[in-house]
Amino acid sequence: AQTVTQSQPEMSVQEAETVTLSCTYDTSESDYYLFWYKQPPSRQMILVIRQEAYKQQNATENRFSVNFQKAAKSFSLKISDSQLGDAAMYFCAYRPTSGTYKYIFGTGTRLKVLA
Amino acid sequence: SAVISQKPSRDICQRGTSLTIQCQVDSQVTMMFWYRQQPGQSLTLIATANQGSEATYESGFVIDKFPISRPNLTFSTLTVSNMSPEDSSIYLCSVAPRGGMYSEQYFGPGTRLTVT
């Protein structure tokens, strides 16, 4: 069965600094999608970034980038120049490209941004 | 992307009663999903609701407890029936606006349910 593990329940970062959130997953599939979602205290889940497993190039969205290591089944999120508005729960999610459209979510990492 | 609204945003209900949660999308979407997020926890998929077919429930969730309607491509409801305090949770709907072959889902703001 596919699983997604986020080993850091909570992280803190100083404003303007860089932080990396970790995510590992387990699957026997060769093609799949990986995501990072952000859930601020207002609780609306927001898609931060998406990575297709067949792409070797790491996805980047402005200050957010991923380090996708397919062989190691690792998918970390790097937030550069952290801002107070980045404070939220961050969820890593996995979805295979075929069969089921069901997301598998990790348990989340709470990010605190310190002024 | 898609703009999703949910009603109510929160409610406090007595045990044994039922609550129907509405999810409205600003565009037609094929796939809609209902999730439960218990306090401080991750998201658990309850069911997938496609227009024109019966909802598909995940293990541990049954239609009698969580009946779902999907009357058209922009709207769905989830009912939490015969509620108990264990049903206290946040319920979120999400959509896959580009259909099943594409990947991303977009989430509504959630409904915070407290059962007393």
Side-chain angles (χ1 to χ4, degrees):
Chain A
Q2 295 104 349
T3 58
V4 176
T5 302
Q6 292 180 250
S7 59
Q8 305 153 317
E10 190 170 293
M11 294 281 286
S12 296
V13 62
Q14 290 286 341
E15 199 175 3
E17 297 294 308
T18 296
V19 65
T20 299
L21 308 184
S22 300
C23 174
T24 58
Y25 58 94
D26 188 24
T27 183
S28 58
E29 302 285 337
S30 60
D31 201 12
Y32 45 87
Y33 300 103
L34 295 165
F35 309 88
W36 280 99
Y37 279 89
K38 169 185 176 182
Q39 188 177 40
S42 65
R43 76 173 180 267
Q44 178 110 38
M45 294 274 284
I46 302 166
L47 176 64
V48 175
I49 201 164
R50 180 183 80 173
Q51 175 80 42
E52 289 93 341
Y54 67 88
K55 291 186 177 179
Q56 292 186 334
Q57 185 174 8
N58 290 325
T60 299
E61 290 287 342
N62 301 314
R63 297 183 295 107
F64 299 88
S65 62
V66 299
N67 183 6
F68 173 49
Q69 301 290 327
K70 189 173 184 179
K73 296 180 181 175
S74 172
F75 182 62
S76 61
L77 175 70
K78 185 172 80 172
I79 305 173
S80 303
D81 184 25
S82 297
Q83 301 174 359
L84 294 177
D86 295 333
M89 282 290 287
Y90 286 82
F91 291 98
C92 179
Y94 161 97
R95 205 212 89 176
T97 57
S98 63
T100 175
Y101 308 118
K102 176 181 173 181
Y103 274 25
I104 307 296
F105 282 92
T107 52
T109 296
R110 181 173 301 281
L111 178 65
K112 296 183 176 180
V113 181
L114 308 174
Chain B
S1 65
V3 177
I4 306 164
S5 60
Q6 285 187 235
K7 290 182 181 179
S9 59
R10 59 177 60 223
D11 207 342
I12 301 173
C13 301
Q14 292 190 342
R15 70 174 66 207
T17 63
S18 298
L19 176 72
T20 295
I21 302 168
Q22 299 179 5
C23 179
Q24 180 75 52
V25 190
D26 69 340
S27 58
Q28 293 185 341
V29 295
T30 302
M31 305 188 74
M32 296 182 75
F33 308 86
W34 287 98
Y35 288 85
R36 182 171 73 183
Q37 184 180 24
Q38 295 183 308
Q41 303 294 316
S42 188
L43 284 74
T44 301
L45 181 65
I46 297 171
T48 301
N50 292 335
Q51 197 268 341
S53 63
E54 295 284 332
T56 302
Y57 289 83
E58 296 298 310
S59 176
F61 298 96
V62 295
I63 187 171
D64 290 347
K65 176 68 176 177
F66 297 100
I68 288 171
S69 76
R70 182 78 201 275
N72 57 52
L73 291 173
T74 63
F75 187 78
S76 178
T77 66
L78 169 76
T79 300
V80 186
S81 304
N82 188 25
M83 288 184 285
S84 67
E86 291 70 34
D87 294 320
S88 297
S89 192
I90 297 170
Y91 292 85
L92 301 105
C93 70
S94 75
V95 302
R98 296 198 290 166
M101 65 181 291
Y102 298 103
S103 62
E104 68 271 18
Q105 293 183 22
Y106 297 90
F107 289 81
T111 296
R112 182 181 294 274
L113 171 62
T114 302
V115 183
T116 60

